[in-house]
C-alpha cells in the first residue's frame, strides 16, 4: 500500500487508483461495496482501516477542481461482512470535513497531480500543516489560513493585505458554530441570569419593550440596559425605595425570593411583582449548592455575612411560583423561569422553543452575514425586464429571500420591516415575490417549508401532551403559519395529535434515529438508542423532538443537561448532567434522570459517592456535531485515546483511576484537551512494554553488572524513549522469536565514563535523552537503543525480519552469532548496516543486504 495517504490507522485512496494499489479480497470488497451504494451518489475516495476491519466510501465535492474538497457523504462497511452500511451526510453542515494533500491519493499520471503538489508545497511553506489536529474541518482550516495572514482564493493563497473579498466570513461562521443566540451586544458578565435569558429568548428586544427590576439592588441590570437604549426602571426596598413601581412589559424578580426569610413576604413579593407585569415575569433563585454551609434558620440558612438564603430545587421553585400565581411556569435555566401574563407572548415563546434555528443559514451553506453577496440566482430565463429588475434590486430581494427561508413561506406585508424600501426602489412587494419565484431556488424554500411544518406540528403535539386548552386568540405568526401550512387550526391539531401517537411506535422511532444519525446528530446503537448533545435537539426529526419534549413535560430541569439518550424500544428518555462537559475531554457524569414516558414517571441517579463514583464519558465527539465548538480537538483526542488500546470501543470504559494507570503504563497522561507523553518518573521495576521492565534495559551489559553502577536516568524523556524502544521493537521481536537476551542497554553519563572501547556515545543512541554537564544531549539523535541476541537463532534472519516489519531507526548487524544493535528514534531513518571488521581491527559499515 505505497500509494495513498496514511493518517494514523486510516488509508485513503482515490477510486481511480484502486486497480494499481490493491488486489485480492480487499479490491473485490471495495468494488462490491461501491456498486451497492444507491444511484445518484458519486463516492470517489476509499478509506480503509485495517485495525478496525472497516472500509468507507467517501464522496468529496468537486474532487478535481476544489483545492481542498468538502466531504458530502460517507458509507462505512465492515470488511468481513456485507451488511447495510453506516451512512452519514454532510451536505448541510456548516463545518464539514475537508481533504488535504489529495495528490497522495492518485497515481503519478493523474492530470492535475502536479498542480496539487505545488499547492501542498505552498501550504507547507506557510506552516498550515504545523498543527494537524483541527485543520481537517472547513472552518478550522480557513481560520488557520487566516491566522497565518492569508486567504484561500480559488486554488491559491493570497495575503490578507491584498484586500481580496472573502467568500466566507470565518469569524462570523465560527460564531454561528458556537450557537450564540444573543440578539444584542450587551455584556453577559454585566447582566444577571434572568435578564440574560430574556435576551436569549428574544423577549427583551429593543427600546420599545419596557423593563422593570423588582428588587433591583444597586441597579446594575437597569443601568446596563439604559446604556444600551432600553426603557429600564427599578425599585429596591433598601437601595431605591423612593423609586416608583412602574407597570412594565417585562418584570424581573431576580434573586429576591431566596433572601426573604418570612415565607409570607416571599409570596407577597412574588404577587406584587406579577401585578406590575404586562407581558412576562422573569425570576431567579439560588439552587441548592453541592455543599450546604451556614447555620440553619427557618427553612433556609444564615450565612457568615448574616444574610438569609433559602435554597430551592428546580422542581420546588417551579411548583412554588405556580401555586402562588396560578399560572404556568417555564423553566429556562438553573433557577431561572418565566411566567406569562400576555398569552400571545406565551404562544410566541412556546412556538419559538420548538422552532429549528438557522434554517436559512443551512440552506445556503454560508454564514448569514454574507448571504446577500451570494444568493442563488438562476441563469436568465425570463424577459430582460425581469432580469434587470432582479439585478437592480438584488440587495432588497436577497433580504426578502432570507426572510422567506426563515419563515418557510413568502412573508406577508406586516412581517416585513423594510416595506418603505420597496417604494424607494419603485418595485411593489407583490412584484418582488414574483421575482423570487422565477429567479431564486424554490427547492430551498420547499425544504424550509417542510422544516417549518415540522416545527409547528411539534409545537401542537406538545400542547396536546401537556393537556393545554386551545388558545382563544392565536399569536399572529402562529396564525399565519397554520393558514399557510395547514389551512385551518383543526387540520393542524390533527397533524400534531398524529405525531404524538407516532411516538409510541418503536419502528418509527428507530427510523427517525437512523435518519438523525445519518445527519451527524448523535451516536446510534441501532435498535437500542440514540445519544446526542442537547444543542442538537432542535435539528432532530419532528418525531424525536416530540419524544424529547414529552420527557421535559415530566422533568422540566433540562438547563443543566448536556447529553440525552432516546431509548428506542422502552419508551424512556435519559437526561445526563456532567461536570465540566465543555472543558474536559473526559467529563464525569454527575446525575442521570431516566424519564419513563409510558408510566409518566422518572428516576434520578446521583453519582459521586464511594458506592457510585462518577463514571467518565468516553468518546465525547460521538455525541457532538462537527459544528460544535472544540469538536475537531475533541475528535483528535478521542482518536488518540482509541489508538492507545486503553479503552474498549463500547458504551462503558475504565474508571478514572484505571485509565490513569493504563495510560501511565504507556508513558501517557492527559493534559488539558491533549494526550501527551508522561512527565512522571516510573519505578525501575515498572513494566516497560509487555515483556520487559525498565530495570531490564537499565541494568544490563557486562560493565554495568561488573561495576554495579546504578545507571538511573536523570531525564524523564529517557524513560519515554526506553518505553518506545520496548513497545515498537522489542515486544514484537519477543512475540515472534521468543525470549531475547539483552547485552547492552541504557548508558548514562556515569556508565559512559567506564565504557570506552568501540563505542560512539554521540551516535549510538544508547544514552537515549540523557544530557552532558553542559546541558546538551549526549546523542543528538535521541531515541533509545539496545543490543540483544536471540539464543540458537541466526541473527541475520532476526535482522531481516526487523527490517521488513518494524519502524526502527538504526540497525547494526555484527554477525550470525553476535548481538544485534537496534534503535528507535524520532528520525525513523530505517538505516540497516553490516559492521565488517578489517585487518586493522576496525569495523566498517556497509549496507546490509539479504539473500
Amino acid at each position: 500500500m505505497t500509494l495513498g495517504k496514511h493518517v494514523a490507522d486510516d488509508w485513503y485512496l482515490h477510486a481511480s487508483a484502486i486497480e494499481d494499489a490493491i488486489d485480492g479480497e480487499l479490491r473485490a470488497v471495495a468494488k462490491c461495496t461501491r456498486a451497492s451504494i444507491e444511484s445518484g451518489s458519486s463516492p470517489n475516495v476509499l478509506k480503509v482501516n485495517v485495525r478496525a476491519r472497516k472500509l468507507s466510501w467517501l464522496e468529496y465535492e468537486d474532487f478535481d477542481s476544489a483545492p481542498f474538497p468538502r466531504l458530502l457523504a460517507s458509507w462505512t462497511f465492515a470488511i468481513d461482512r456485507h451488511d447495510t452500511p453506516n451512512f452519514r451526510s454532510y451536505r448541510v453542515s456548516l463545518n464539514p470535513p475537508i481533504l488535504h494533500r489529495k495528490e497522495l491519493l492518485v497515481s503519478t499520471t493523474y492530470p492535475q497531480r502536479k498542480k496539487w503538489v505545488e499547492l501542498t508545497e505552498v501550504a507547507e511553506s506557510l506552516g498550515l500543516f504545523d498543527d494537524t489536529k483541527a485543520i481537517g474541518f472547513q472552518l478550522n482550516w480557513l481560520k488557520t489560513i487566516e491566522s497565518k495572514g492569508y486567504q484561500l482564493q480559488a486554488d491559491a493563497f493570497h495575503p490578507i493585505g491584498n484586500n481580496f473579498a472573502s467568500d466566507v466570513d470565518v469569524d462570523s461562521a465560527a460564531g454561528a458554530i458556537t450557537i450564540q443566540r444573543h440578539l444584542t451586544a450587551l455584556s453577559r458578565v454585566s447582566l444577571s441570569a434572568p435578564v440574560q435569558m430574556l435576551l436569549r429568548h428574544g423577549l427583551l428586544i429593543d427600546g420599545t419593550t419596557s423593563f422593570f427590576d423588582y428588587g433591583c439592588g444597586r441597579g446594575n441590570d437597569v443601568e446596563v440596559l439604559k446604556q444600551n437604549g432600553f426603557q429600564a426602571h427599578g425599585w429596591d426596598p433598601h437601595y431605591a425605595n423612593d423609586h416608583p413601581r412602574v407597570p412594565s412589559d417585562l418584570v424581573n424578580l431576580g434573586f429576591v425570593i431566596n433572601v426573604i426569610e418570612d415565607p409570607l413576604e416571599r409570596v407577597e413579593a412574588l404577587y406584587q411583582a406579577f401585578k406590575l407585569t404586562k407581558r412576562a415575569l422573569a425570576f431567579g433563585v439560588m439552587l441548592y449548592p453541592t455543599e450546604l454551609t451556614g447555620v440553619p434558620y427557618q427553612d433556609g440558612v444564615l450565612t457568615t455575612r448574616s444574610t438569609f438564603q433559602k435554597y430551592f430545587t428546580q422542581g420546588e421553585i417551579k411548583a412554588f411560583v405556580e401555586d402562588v400565581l396560578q399560572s404556568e411556569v417555564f423553566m429556562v435555566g438553573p433557577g431561572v423561569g418565566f411566567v406569562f401574563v400576555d398569552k400571545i407572548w406565551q404562544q410566541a415563546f412556546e412556538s419559538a422553543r420548538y422552532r429549528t434555528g438557522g434554517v436559512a443559514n443551512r440552506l445556503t451553506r454560508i454564514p448569514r452575514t454574507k448571504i446577500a453577496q451570494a444568493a442563488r440566482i438562476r441563469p436568465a430565463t425570463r424577459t430582460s425586464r425581469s432580469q434587470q429588475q432582479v439585478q437592480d434590486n438584488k440587495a432588497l430581494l436577497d433580504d426578502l429571500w432570507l426572510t422567506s427561508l426563515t419563515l418557510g413561506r413568502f412573508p406577508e406585508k406586516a412581517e416585513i420591516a423594510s416595506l418603505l424600501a420597496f417604494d424607494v426602489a419603485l418595485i411593489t412587494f407583490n412584484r418582488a415575490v414574483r421575482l423570487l419565484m422565477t429567479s431564486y431556488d424554490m427547492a430551498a424554500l420547499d425544504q424550509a417549508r417542510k422544516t417549518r411544518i415540522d416545527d409547528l406540528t411539534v409545537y401542537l403535539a406538545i400542547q396536546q401532551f401537556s393537556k393545554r386548552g386551545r388558545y382563544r386568540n392565536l399569536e399572529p405568526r402562529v396564525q399565519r403559519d397554520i393558514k399557510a401550512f395547514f389551512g385551518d387550526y383543526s387540520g393542524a391539531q390533527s397533524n400534531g395529535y398524529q405525531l404524538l401517537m407516532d411516538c409510541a411506535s418503536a419502528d418509527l422511532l428507530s427510523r427517525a434515529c437512523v435518519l438523525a444519525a445519518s445527519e451527524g446528530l448523535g451516536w446510534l446503537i441501532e435498535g437500542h438508542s440514540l445519544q446526542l448533545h442537547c444543542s442538537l435537539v432542535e435539528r432532530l426529526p419532528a418525531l424525536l423532538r416530540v419524544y424529547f419534549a414529552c420527557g421535559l413535560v415530566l422533568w422540566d430541569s433540562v438547563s443543566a443537561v448536556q447529553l440525552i439518550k432516546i431509548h428506542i424500544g422502552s419508551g424512556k428518555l435519559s437526561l445526563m448532567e456532567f461536570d465540566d462537559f465543555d472543558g474536559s475531554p473526559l467529563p464525569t457524569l454527575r446525575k442521570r434522570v431516566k424519564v419513563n414516558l409510558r408510566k409518566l414517571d422518572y428516576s434520578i441517579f446521583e453519582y459521586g459517592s464511594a458506592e457510585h463514583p462518577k463514571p467518565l464519558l468516553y468518546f465525547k465527539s460521538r455525541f457532538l456535531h462537527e459544528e460544535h465548538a472544540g469538536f475537531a480537538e475533541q475528535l483528535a483526542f478521542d482518536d488518540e485515546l482509541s489508538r492507545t488500546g486503553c479503552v474498549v470501543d463500547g458504551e462503558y470504559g475504565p474508571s478514572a483511576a484505571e485509565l490513569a494507570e493504563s495510560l501511565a503504563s504507556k508513558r501517557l497522561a492527559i493534559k488539558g484537551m491533549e494526550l501527551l507523553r508522561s512527565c512522571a518518573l516510573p519505578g525501575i521495576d515498572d513494566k516497560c512494554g509487555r515483556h520487559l521492565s525498565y530495570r531490564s534495559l537499565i541494568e544490563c551489559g557486562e560493565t554495568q553488572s561488573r561495576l554495579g553502577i546504578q545507571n538511573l536516568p536523570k531525564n524523564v524523556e529517557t524513560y519515554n524513549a526506553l518505553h518506545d524502544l520496548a513497545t515498537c521493537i522489542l515486544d514484537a521481536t519477543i512475540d515472534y522469536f521468543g525470549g531475547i537476551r539483552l547485552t547492552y542497554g541504557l548508558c548514562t553519563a556515569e556508565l559512559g565514563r567506564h565504557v570506552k572501547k568501540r563505542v560512539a556515545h554521540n551516535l549510538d543512541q544508547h544514552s537515549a535523552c540523557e544530557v552532558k554537564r553542559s546541558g546538551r544531549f549526549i546523542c543528538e539523535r535521541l531515541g533509545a537503543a539496545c543490543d540483544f541476541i536471540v539464543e540458537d537463532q541466526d541473527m541475520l534472519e532476526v535482522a531481516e525480519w526487523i527490517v521488513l516489519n518494524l519502524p526502527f531507526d538504526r540497525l547494526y548487524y555484527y554477525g550470525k552469532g553476535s548481538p544485534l544493535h537496534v534503535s528507535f528514534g524520532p528520525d525513523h531513518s530505517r538505516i540497516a548496516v553490516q559492521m565488517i571488521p578489517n585487518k586493522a581491527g576496525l569495523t566498517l559499515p556497509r549496507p546490509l543486504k539479504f539473500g
Side-chain angles (χ1 to χ4, degrees), residues 705-724:
S705 177
R706 176 170 51 83
L707 298 177
I709 296 172
Q710 275 196 317
N711 199 38
L712 288 174
K714 294 181 179 179
N715 189 346
V716 69
E717 289 301 326
T718 293
Y719 287 100
N720 293 336
L722 292 174
H723 179 269
D724 291 344

Side-chain angles (χ1 to χ4, degrees), residues 632-771:
E633 292 79 5
Q634 180 67 47
L635 179 62
F637 175 87
D638 290 346
D639 287 344
E640 289 179 10
L641 183 61
S642 177
R643 286 193 291 273
T644 67
C646 295
V647 182
V648 178
D649 188 14
E651 185 175 3
Y652 304 102
S655 68
E658 291 169 341
L659 176 65
E661 182 179 353
S662 182
L663 289 176
S665 71
K666 299 176 183 295
R667 300 300 300 156
L668 295 170
I670 298 171
K671 297 179 181 178
M673 293 293 291
E674 294 185 286
L675 195 60
L676 302 176
R677 299 311 300 263
S678 175
C679 294
L681 291 173
I684 191 171
D685 289 314
D686 286 355
K687 295 282 282 187
C688 182
R690 294 193 307 275
H691 301 293
L692 304 173
S693 67
Y694 288 99
R695 187 184 296 275
S696 305
L697 290 161
I698 291 172
E699 296 183 359
C700 67
E702 185 273 332
T703 303
Q704 190 279 331
S705 177
R706 176 170 51 83
L707 298 177
I709 296 172
Q710 275 196 317
N711 199 38
L712 288 174
K714 294 181 179 179
N715 189 346
V716 69
E717 289 301 326
T718 293
Y719 287 100
N720 293 336
L722 292 174
H723 179 269
D724 291 344
L725 174 66
T727 55
C728 297
I729 304 294
L730 301 181
D731 278 349
T733 304
I734 294 170
D735 288 341
Y736 191 80
F737 290 100
I740 65 173
R741 178 166 60 87
L742 290 162
T743 61
Y744 186 24
L746 176 69
C747 181
T748 62
E750 183 182 3
L751 179 62
R753 285 193 288 271
H754 300 277
V755 180
K756 297 181 179 178
K757 291 184 178 181
R758 296 187 300 171
V759 294
H761 298 303
N762 63 326
L763 295 174
D764 62 19
Q765 295 170 282
H766 279 288
S767 58
C769 301
E770 294 300 285
V771 297

Side-chain angles (χ1 to χ4, degrees), residues 494-522:
S494 177
N495 277 42
Y497 179 77
Q498 184 58 52
L499 185 59
L500 188 60
M501 293 299 100
D502 289 344
C503 288
S505 169
D507 184 53
L508 292 179
L509 277 175
S510 180
R511 292 184 203 173
C513 288
V514 170
L515 175 60
S518 74
E519 296 176 354
L521 306 177

Side-chain angles (χ1 to χ4, degrees), residues 65-353:
S65 58
F68 304 99
R70 67 191 298 272
L71 183 61
L72 296 180
S74 67
W75 297 260
T76 300
F77 300 81
I79 293 178
D80 301 324
R81 61 183 190 275
H82 305 298
D83 52 5
T84 304
N86 181 13
F87 173 70
R88 170 69 206 276
S89 173
Y90 296 88
R91 293 182 183 275
V92 297
S93 174
L94 297 177
N95 192 31
I98 58 172
L99 183 64
H100 302 99
R101 303 179 187 270
K102 60 181 179 176
E103 69 276 2
L104 299 177
L105 279 65
V106 300
S107 66
T108 55
T109 59
Y110 203 84
Q112 295 94 335
R113 187 178 185 278
K114 182 179 178 182
K115 181 180 179 182
W116 299 342
V117 170
E118 293 172 352
L119 182 65
T120 295
E121 289 174 349
V122 173
E124 286 178 332
S125 69
L126 297 177
L128 299 179
F129 298 140
D130 289 351
D131 184 1
T132 59
K133 289 186 177 179
I135 62 173
F137 294 86
Q138 188 175 58
L139 291 178
N140 304 76
W141 175 237
L142 295 175
K143 193 70 175 178
T144 299
I145 297 171
E146 182 187 60
S147 71
K148 301 295 184 182
Y150 284 81
Q151 292 179 338
L152 180 63
Q153 294 291 325
D155 57 355
F157 297 102
H158 296 279
I160 291 177
N162 286 358
N163 198 30
F164 284 88
S166 173
D167 287 335
V168 178
D169 185 329
V170 178
D171 289 329
S172 297
I177 286 178
T178 55
I179 318 176
Q180 297 296 332
R181 300 178 181 176
H182 303 85
L183 303 179
T184 175
L186 296 178
S187 170
R188 294 181 64 184
V189 178
S190 302
L191 293 170
S192 65
V195 179
Q196 287 187 48
M197 285 299 176
L198 288 172
L199 290 164
R200 178 183 290 272
H201 288 278
L203 299 179
L204 188 56
I205 303 172
D206 52 36
T208 63
T209 307
S210 58
F211 171 88
F212 186 79
D213 198 347
Y214 191 98
C216 63
R218 298 180 185 274
N220 183 69
D221 284 341
V222 172
E223 288 304 313
V224 172
L225 291 174
K226 280 184 175 180
Q227 291 170 15
N228 287 271
F230 288 88
Q231 299 180 45
H233 303 278
W235 171 85
D236 188 88
H238 181 73
Y239 294 102
N241 61 4
D242 57 337
H243 291 192
R245 304 186 207 186
V246 183
S248 301
D249 295 324
L250 299 172
V251 174
N252 176 40
L253 188 67
F255 306 102
V256 172
I257 297 173
N258 51 282
V259 299
I260 301 175
E261 69 277 9
D262 186 340
L264 293 178
E265 285 188 36
R266 280 183 220 143
V267 172
E268 182 65 18
L270 180 58
Y271 181 70
Q272 292 299 328
F274 195 57
K275 279 179 61 177
L276 297 175
T277 305
K278 294 181 179 180
R279 290 179 168 172
L281 170 73
F283 64 85
V285 298
M286 299 290 288
L287 300 182
Y288 278 100
T290 305
E291 294 184 8
L292 193 62
T293 59
V295 179
Y297 180 76
Q298 303 274 32
D299 57 352
V301 297
L302 289 176
T303 69
T304 55
R305 295 188 301 157
S306 298
T307 60
F308 175 81
Q309 281 290 350
K310 159 65 178 171
Y311 295 108
F312 294 85
T313 65
Q314 193 88 333
E316 284 173 349
I317 186 58
K318 183 177 189 294
F320 171 71
V321 176
E322 287 182 336
D323 286 345
V324 173
L325 302 181
Q326 293 297 299
S327 296
E328 185 173 7
V329 169
F330 297 88
M331 299 304 295
V332 293
V336 178
F338 296 158
V339 188
F340 289 89
V341 174
D342 188 321
K343 297 306 177 184
I344 296 296
W345 270 47
Q346 180 172 323
Q347 287 180 70
F349 166 78
E350 286 186 82
S351 61
R353 293 183 90 182

Side-chain angles (χ1 to χ4, degrees), residues 38-58:
E38 66 274 10
S39 60
S41 301
S42 302
N44 43 28
V45 170
L46 175 69
K47 181 176 79 169
V48 179
N49 189 309
V50 177
R51 180 177 65 86
R53 303 293 296 168
K54 289 183 178 180
L55 172 153
S56 299
W57 276 105
L58 313 175

Side-chain angles (χ1 to χ4, degrees), residues 795-804 811 813 820 848 850:
M795 294 306 292
L796 183 61
E797 293 181 8
V798 177
E800 182 177 15
W801 184 85
I802 291 175
V803 169
L804 292 176
L811 182 147
Y813 170 70
L820 187 71
L848 181 59
F850 304 104

